């Protein structure tokens, strides 16, 4: 047989694209590479033909359509999201004088559910399915900045407003809350005891959550996003935090809550001391 | 193909640039545009009639498809669509313009090159035909060419044999994903498997099919210029 030797090139990325999917940026990078690399293009062609055999399809099969649609249809842009959020910053001085953690309601936030069973799917490792992002709003200048996740701890000032957003492919709910260094839980500003989380939109990127935050304390705060297809009970989350505390897991290491069979994402913040 | 004409709510959301509406429009029209890009079309360029014989590689089809829909989904293009005529006509016009633009760019680039008349016989005039591919392009339609139809039938037989090698979970994924063409989200509901298990199983099926086809003499050679081929290599089939 005369098998092509593809070396390293982007073979793995191609396989991952076809079987798992790639993030928007990775897809763009791979596609640019394919335009210039005939070896990888030939490999892509081969893999796509196998896929078409599997689907008994013409040029496009359902998986290819899903991939291309994601590449073509723009995600709700962050710039347009800013237009919606700017007024949050305008309220900042008033908000700052209020509670420790303050909600700035944007829309009626949640769908209330009576069901109490927490039936989240678990063990998913891909980061494409859902996740949190955060944006900083300077109260005075009203400038907005995406908070990078490369730093171990994201520095913020207590007077700054943090707007959380999410990406989501197909989950129905997310619960977002913070845990500080004393393992005290700081619930999402607009949450109520039994709301079960924020009802999510599907196939979105950087979709703002209903409330913006001012950090409630100084020091470390890890903000968790728990994604699920069923309403999420507070007591389930409280139990998970208790395990965290009893196991004496430091916040910097607690990227996931233990004992939770749910898709999770988290971000660690370092909140600067308050200046009187 | 009158999706947007008949569904005014969808049209409104599409014009506003709602992602879900654009997804729906893409899913509906992409196969039709891809088919055009594959089979080609004839257009007038000045006094000449030019035949675009279609893209042979899937990559080229998909690349051009992205460009076409990016243009069609731009704010300007969305607002220009009147919602009265079929969107298929609108998108096909954009598709042809994209291809014709590419032709004009290439023509300008080749302006200093001419084929000498006495060697004109050397120029290949064959056009690509969907019938040239085994299974890839016309999987369910006999081509009328006995050799190719028998190859297609052989590939189908191999897929049937391959399917028998799958375990129960793989059979389920194969059925819902590849035979019923369900999305991965729909499959989660149908199979009660998690998304990661579905993806892992699908990935294994692809790997095993690749090896299975190779064992039977397919995918044995790949041409960098013309792309991969599912054609069997003579004498290497078992």
């Amino acid at each position: 047989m005369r098998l092509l030797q593809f070396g390293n090139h982007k073979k793995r990325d191609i396989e991952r694209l076809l079987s798992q999917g790639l993030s928007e940026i990775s897809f763009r990078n791979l596609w640019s590479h394919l335009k210039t690399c005939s070896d990888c293009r030939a490999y892509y062609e081969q893999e796509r033909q196998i896929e078409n055999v599997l689907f008994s399809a013409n040029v496009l099969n359902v998986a290819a359509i899903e991939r291309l649609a994601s590449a073509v249809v723009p995600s709700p842009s962050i710039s347009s999201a800013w237009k919606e959020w700017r007024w949050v910053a305008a309220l900042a001085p008033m908000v700052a004088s209020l509670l420790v953690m303050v909600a700035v309601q944007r829309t009626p936030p949640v769908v209330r559910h009576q069901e109490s069973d927490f039936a989240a799917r678990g063990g998913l490792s891909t980061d494409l399915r859902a996740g949190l992002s955060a944006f900083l709003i300077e109260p005075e200048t009203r400038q907005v900045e995406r908070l990078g996740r490369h730093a171990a701890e994201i520095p913020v000032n207590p007077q700054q407003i943090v707007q959380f957003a999410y990406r989501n492919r197909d989950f129905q709910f997310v619960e977002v809350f913070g845990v500080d260094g004393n393992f005290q839980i700081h619930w999402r500003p607009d949450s109520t005891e039994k709301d079960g989380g924020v009802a999510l939109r599907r196939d979105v990127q950087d979709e703002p959550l209903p409330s913006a935050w001012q950090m409630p304390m100084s020091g470390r705060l890890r903000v968790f996003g728990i994604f699920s297809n069923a309403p999420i009970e507070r007591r389930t989350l409280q139990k998970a935090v208790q395990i965290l505390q009893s196991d004496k897991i430091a916040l910097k290491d607690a990227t996931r809550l233990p004992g939770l069979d749910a898709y999770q994402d988290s971000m660690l913040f370092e909140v600067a001391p308050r200046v009187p | 193909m009158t999706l947007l004409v008949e569904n005014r709510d969808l049209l409104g959301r599409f014009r506003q640039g709602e992602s879900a509406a654009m997804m729906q429009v893409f899913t509906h029209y992409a196969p039709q545009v891809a088919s055009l890009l594959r089979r080609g079309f004839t257009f007038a360029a000045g006094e000449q009639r030019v035949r675009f014989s279609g893209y042979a590689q899937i990559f080229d089809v998909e690349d051009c498809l992205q460009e076409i829909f990016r243009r069609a989904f731009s704010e300007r293009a969305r607002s220009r669509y009147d919602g009265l005529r079929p969107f298929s006509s609108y998108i096909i016009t954009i598709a042809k313009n994209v291809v014709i633009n590419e032709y004009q760019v290439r023509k300008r680039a080749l302006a200093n090159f001419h084929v000498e008349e006495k060697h004109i016989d050397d120029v290949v005039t064959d056009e690509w035909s969907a019938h040239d591919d085994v299974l890839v392009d016309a999987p369910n339609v006999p081509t009328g060419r006995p050799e190719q139809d028998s190859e297609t039938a052989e590939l189908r037989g191999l897929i049937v044999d391959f399917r028998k090698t799958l375990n129960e979970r793989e059979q389920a994924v194969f059925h819902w994903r590849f035979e019923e063409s369900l999305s991965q989200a729909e499959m989660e509901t149908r199979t009660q498997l998690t998304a990661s298990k579905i993806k892992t199983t699908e990935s294994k099926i692809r790997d095993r099919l690749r090896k299975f086809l190779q064992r039977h003499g397919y995918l044995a050679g790949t041409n960098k210029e013309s792309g991969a081929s599912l054609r069997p290599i003579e004498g290497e089939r078992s």
Side-chain angles (χ1 to χ4, degrees):
Chain A
M1 287 199 180
R2 292 173 290 146
L3 288 173
L4 251 191
Q5 297 301 310
F6 287 99
N8 290 325
H9 286 282
K10 298 277 185 180
K11 184 179 172 184
R12 285 188 169 226
D13 283 353
I14 291 168
E15 289 169 359
R16 192 153 170 247
L17 168 69
L18 298 183
S19 59
Q20 309 276 317
L22 290 176
S23 69
E24 203 175 321
I25 293 171
S26 300
F27 177 86
R28 275 205 299 267
N29 288 341
L30 174 61
W31 205 259
S32 300
H33 176 78
L34 287 173
K35 286 183 181 186
T36 58
C37 178
S38 57
D39 279 350
C40 287
R41 206 163 53 241
Y43 187 69
Y44 178 80
E45 200 73 11
Q46 174 183 294
E47 294 299 296
R48 278 287 285 108
Q49 289 197 10
I50 291 172
E51 188 179 72
N52 277 354
V53 169
L54 280 166
F55 279 100
S56 294
N58 293 323
V59 185
L60 289 186
N61 57 58
V62 66
I65 291 173
E66 285 171 2
R67 284 193 299 270
L68 294 170
S70 300
V72 166
V73 175
S75 308
S77 71
I78 201 63
S79 57
S80 64
W82 290 142
K83 290 173 190 169
E84 292 179 43
W85 298 353
R86 279 193 155 205
W87 70 273
V88 172
L91 294 177
M94 182 177 72
V95 168
S97 65
L98 293 175
L99 300 172
V100 199
M101 185 180 282
V102 180
V104 182
Q105 297 287 333
R106 195 169 65 92
T107 54
V110 291
V111 176
R112 293 173 190 279
H113 293 264
Q114 297 304 314
E115 299 90 339
S116 59
D117 56 320
F118 175 38
R121 297 182 187 281
L124 302 178
S125 58
T126 171
D127 63 346
L128 298 172
R129 204 173 169 199
L132 287 180
S133 52
F135 300 86
L136 203 60
I137 302 172
E138 284 289 347
E140 291 180 7
T141 62
R142 297 186 188 181
Q143 289 208 327
V144 177
E145 175 196 352
R146 177 190 280 272
L147 292 170
R149 301 191 58 158
H150 51 277
E153 296 158 359
I154 302 166
V156 291
N157 292 321
Q159 67 270 25
Q160 289 172 319
I161 295 174
V162 178
Q163 172 70 55
F164 286 99
Y166 64 89
R167 64 180 180 281
N168 178 45
R169 188 181 293 169
D170 51 10
F171 284 109
Q172 293 180 38
F173 299 92
V174 66
E175 185 55 277
V176 179
F177 61 99
V179 176
D180 66 23
N182 297 319
F183 298 99
Q184 187 185 343
I185 297 177
H186 301 271
W187 297 109
R188 168 172 48 87
D190 53 294
S191 74
T192 59
E193 179 74 30
K194 291 183 179 176
D195 66 20
V198 177
L200 297 175
R201 291 183 61 202
R202 292 187 172 200
D203 295 318
V204 291
Q205 188 90 14
D206 287 335
E207 179 73 12
L209 283 163
S211 58
W213 292 28
Q214 275 199 305
M215 291 307 180
M217 25 54 72
S218 298
R220 282 181 175 156
L221 181 79
R222 185 172 283 282
V223 175
F224 291 93
I226 311 294
F227 294 82
S228 170
N229 285 325
I232 304 162
E233 278 198 327
R234 274 193 176 186
R235 64 179 178 189
T236 309
L237 303 174
Q238 285 163 334
K239 199 173 172 183
V241 174
Q242 281 169 8
I243 297 172
L244 203 67
Q245 184 173 14
S246 61
D247 288 354
K248 296 179 181 172
I249 301 172
L251 276 187
K252 67 179 175 60
D253 301 322
T255 53
R256 289 175 57 83
L257 282 176
L260 263 189
D261 187 21
Y263 188 93
Q264 302 185 34
D265 191 16
S266 72
M267 301 175 83
L268 183 60
F269 293 87
E270 179 68 44
V271 186
R274 291 176 185 277
V275 180
Chain B
M1 289 289 179
T2 54
L3 181 72
L4 290 172
V5 176
E6 290 173 356
N7 190 338
R8 308 310 282 181
D9 172 59
L10 179 65
L11 174 64
R13 290 189 288 119
F14 172 72
R15 281 181 170 153
Q16 286 169 11
E18 188 188 294
S19 296
M22 288 198 275
M23 283 275 188
Q24 195 175 339
V25 171
F26 181 89
T27 304
H28 191 81
Y29 291 104
Q32 188 186 359
V33 178
S35 176
L36 175 81
L37 296 173
R38 189 68 146 168
R39 99 179 158 256
F41 56 89
T42 304
F43 60 92
E47 293 180 353
Q48 294 179 310
R49 284 186 68 75
V50 179
R51 174 72 190 167
F52 164 59
S53 55
Y55 291 118
Q57 289 196 30
I58 296 171
F59 174 82
D60 290 330
V61 172
E62 293 184 346
D63 191 44
C64 191
L65 195 71
Q66 289 179 55
E67 174 62 22
I68 290 162
F69 276 90
R70 279 202 191 96
R71 289 191 191 191
F73 286 175
S74 70
E75 195 172 348
R76 192 174 167 206
R78 280 185 279 116
S79 61
R80 276 187 174 185
Y81 172 58
D82 58 19
L84 301 174
R85 286 167 291 183
F87 188 76
S88 57
S89 306
Y90 190 66
I91 191 81
I92 290 295
T93 302
I94 293 174
K96 288 184 174 178
N97 284 340
V98 168
V99 171
I100 292 168
N101 285 348
E102 187 188 340
Y103 164 77
Q104 286 169 338
V105 168
R106 291 189 182 197
K107 191 180 174 190
R108 273 197 296 275
L110 293 172
N112 297 327
F113 297 88
H114 300 279
V115 178
E116 292 182 11
E117 288 300 317
K118 63 179 179 181
H119 295 137
I120 198 76
D121 291 345
D122 296 337
V123 177
V124 177
T125 54
D126 284 352
E127 291 182 351
W128 179 89
S129 161
H131 293 166
D132 292 342
D133 278 359
V134 180
L135 197 66
V136 172
D137 223 65
N140 300 312
V141 183
T143 65
R145 299 178 187 182
E147 188 186 346
Q148 287 184 11
D149 286 344
S150 71
E151 284 175 4
T152 303
E154 181 181 295
L155 259 176
R156 286 193 189 295
L158 284 174
I159 295 297
V160 171
D161 292 344
F162 170 73
R163 203 185 151 162
K164 289 175 188 166
T165 68
L166 303 177
N167 64 31
E168 194 176 343
R169 178 195 290 175
E170 291 165 342
Q171 292 260 7
V173 170
F174 188 98
H175 173 70
W176 292 115
R177 181 66 167 159
F178 302 122
E179 292 180 341
E180 298 296 327
S181 291
L182 293 191
S183 68
Q184 290 191 337
E186 290 170 321
M187 284 182 63
E188 284 181 60
T189 313
R190 291 277 188 170
T191 63
Q192 301 297 309
L193 295 171
T194 61
S196 64
K197 278 183 183 164
I198 291 169
K199 285 179 180 176
T200 306
T201 307
E202 190 181 323
S203 187
K204 280 182 186 168
I205 291 173
R206 287 170 192 260
D207 283 347
R208 285 174 52 188
L209 177 64
R210 186 188 307 111
K211 287 169 188 162
F212 185 86
L213 289 174
Q214 283 170 351
R215 276 204 306 276
H216 289 80
Y218 287 82
L219 299 169
T222 306
N223 183 322
K224 286 185 193 178
E225 297 308 314
S226 62
S229 172
L230 277 176
R231 285 178 182 282
I233 303 301
E234 289 303 321
E236 292 188 346
R237 271 182 282 179
S238 56

